[in-house]
């Protein structure tokens, strides 16, 4: 049995609500009743519009679902449910692991379970969650997540970008920071693959910004290089063919400048792993330069290779900054 778990928004509110309702209806009565029992379709529509959720399907049929709720202590998983007739088949586990992927940049996954449901509490503990508090009738559990990733080469950098891309929704902002030749464009190539946008992601240094349309009905990718911008107000003069509210925006060299584009953001900082020497761009080559073995730093101002690059090991730090 193959479980397909995907990030969804308000357009799937009816499916998410139906799955969660079926799961909670099958539980023994609780006192006080579970909060989910008072929810209606409108509640789910608003929650999914705000922060999204996960929908797990088997053979195209929705069988599991949850709501995502970013908080100061981590990404909270709410209304976690699997249809009773398919419980015990790995769907819940698949949703937990998908949530960990979506939570990239958060400190932890957070859940609340009812004290009178020890099997439910045990499920979370079996999946790496640790009890942090009790406030009747709930047990709060937390699964810490790493915010620093060791990236050994270019393929791994693209793979990390793909993971991040699958976690993003329309309106999200990614502020990408790194030294010359750090691999920012390589990361963005993977991110574009994760989003399912039209390819050809290269450094936009000379054109300032490029729009990569979605091929899968998701958000477009707006790829901005702020290296030459005096201020992001200049974006208004670029005549982009998409609204930033409807796209995922990645800004290279954007720290201290791009934050005004969105209320929240994902900050990605790429640095050379320790003990690899001080030469900027060492081990990073491209065939897109002069054709004589020039480094990517020679080929373009930000030093990122467009293709065929070989990256030294990097350390990538990811941090979610929530709206105030």
């Amino acid at each position: 049995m193959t479980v397909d778990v995907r990030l969804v928004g308000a357009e799937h509110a009816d499916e998410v609500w139906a799955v969660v309702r079926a799961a909670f209806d099958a539980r023994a009565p609780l006192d006080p009743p579970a909060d989910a029992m008072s929810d209606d379709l409108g509640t789910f529509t608003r929650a999914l519009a705000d922060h999204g959720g996960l929908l797990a399907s088997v053979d195209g049929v929705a069988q599991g679902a949850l709501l995502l709720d970013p908080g100061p202590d981590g990404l909270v998983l709410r209304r976690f449910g699997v249809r009773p007739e398919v419980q015990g088949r790995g769907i819940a586990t698949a949703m937990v692991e998908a949530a960990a992927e979506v939570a990239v940049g958060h400190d932890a996954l957070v859940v609340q379970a009812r004290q009178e449901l020890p099997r439910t509490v045990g499920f979370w503990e079996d999946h790496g969650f640790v009890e942090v508090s009790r406030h009747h009738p709930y047990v709060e559990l937390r699964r810490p997540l790493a915010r620093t990733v060791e990236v050994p080469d270019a393929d791994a950098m693209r793979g990390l970008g793909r993971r991040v891309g699958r976690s993003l929704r329309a309106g999200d902002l990614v502020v990408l920071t790194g030294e010359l030749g750090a691999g920012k464009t390589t990361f963005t190539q993977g991110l574009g693959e994760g989003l399912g946008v039209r390819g050809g992601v290269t450094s936009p240094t000379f054109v300032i910004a490029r729009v990569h349309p979605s091929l899968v009905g998701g958000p477009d990718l707006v790829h901005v290089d702020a290296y030459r911008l005096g201020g992001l107000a200049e974006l208004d003069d670029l005549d982009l063919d998409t609204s930033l509210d409807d796209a995922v925006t990645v800004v290279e060299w954007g720290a201290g400048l791009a934050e005004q584009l969105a209320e929240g953001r994902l900050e990605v900082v790429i640095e050379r792993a320790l003990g690899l020497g001080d030469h900027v761009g060492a081990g990073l080559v491209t065939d897109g330069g002069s054709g004589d073995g020039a480094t990517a730093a020679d080929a373009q101002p930000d030093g990122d290779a467009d293709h065929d690059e070989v990256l030294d090991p990097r350390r990538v730090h990811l941090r979610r900054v929530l709206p105030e």
Side-chain angles (χ1 to χ4, degrees):
M1 183 178 72
T2 301
V3 183
D4 174 45
V5 185
R6 56 197 172 109
L7 184 66
V8 297
E11 69 279 5
H12 291 279
D14 54 345
E15 292 178 277
V16 173
W17 179 65
V19 168
V20 172
R21 189 69 193 222
F24 278 77
D25 280 345
R27 295 179 179 178
L30 299 174
D31 185 21
D35 293 339
M37 303 308 293
S38 61
D39 290 343
D40 57 21
L41 181 57
T43 305
F44 275 76
T45 301
R46 290 187 293 272
L48 289 166
D50 288 341
H51 304 299
L54 295 180
L55 186 64
S57 300
V58 178
D59 296 329
V61 179
Q63 303 286 16
L66 62 86
L67 300 178
L68 300 171
D69 185 11
D73 297 323
L75 183 62
V76 184
L77 310 183
R78 302 195 185 279
R79 307 302 188 258
F80 189 104
V82 176
R83 289 186 180 275
E85 62 270 22
V86 291
Q87 290 178 4
R89 301 186 186 181
I91 296 172
T93 295
M95 289 201 299
V96 172
E97 297 313 312
E101 291 282 318
V102 169
V104 61
H106 288 280
D107 286 326
L109 293 177
V110 181
V111 296
Q112 289 187 334
R114 293 292 290 254
Q115 294 176 0
E116 61 267 52
L117 298 176
R119 288 183 59 187
T120 300
V121 174
F123 168 84
W124 295 114
E125 292 175 335
D126 289 343
H127 288 79
F129 289 76
V130 177
E131 179 180 334
V132 294
S133 67
R134 287 187 177 234
H135 41 283
H136 184 77
Y138 294 105
V139 180
E140 183 169 307
L141 302 103
R142 192 172 187 266
R143 173 173 160 175
L145 299 173
R147 293 203 307 181
T148 298
V149 181
E150 301 292 335
V151 179
D153 53 32
D155 285 343
M157 184 70 79
R158 286 194 196 87
L160 177 61
R162 281 192 293 273
R163 285 174 50 201
V164 172
R166 289 193 291 266
S167 77
L168 299 174
R169 304 172 65 234
D172 281 345
L173 169 67
V174 180
V175 179
L176 190 53
T177 303
E179 64 180 11
L180 299 175
K184 299 183 294 297
T185 300
T186 305
F187 175 89
T188 307
Q189 289 169 345
L191 188 147
E193 293 171 8
L195 284 171
V197 302
R198 192 165 64 200
V201 174
T202 60
S203 175
T205 297
F206 298 105
V207 298
I208 308 299
R210 287 192 180 95
V211 178
H212 296 271
S214 174
L215 299 175
V216 295
D220 296 341
L221 169 63
V222 177
H223 185 196
V224 180
D225 191 322
Y227 189 82
R228 300 177 185 275
L229 287 182
L232 283 182
E234 296 180 21
L235 277 177
D236 293 336
D237 299 326
L238 296 179
D239 195 26
L240 297 175
D241 293 329
T242 189
S243 165
L244 298 185
D245 290 337
D246 298 326
V248 168
T249 304
V250 177
V251 184
E252 299 188 26
W253 302 99
L257 187 64
E259 291 82 358
Q260 62 187 284
L261 282 176
E263 293 182 355
R265 62 190 179 276
L266 173 64
E267 296 178 348
V268 180
V269 178
I270 305 173
E271 64 181 16
R272 187 179 303 280
L274 296 178
L276 294 173
D278 297 325
H279 177 63
V280 172
L284 176 60
V285 298
T286 178
D287 65 2
S290 62
D292 59 359
T295 67
D298 296 323
Q300 52 187 1
D302 74 349
D304 283 346
D306 288 342
H307 53 279
D308 293 343
E309 65 274 54
V310 180
L311 287 177
D312 284 334
R314 307 293 185 190
R315 184 170 291 117
V316 182
H317 306 278
L318 306 109
R319 183 172 78 102
R320 293 274 183 179
V321 179
L322 301 179
E324 297 182 357

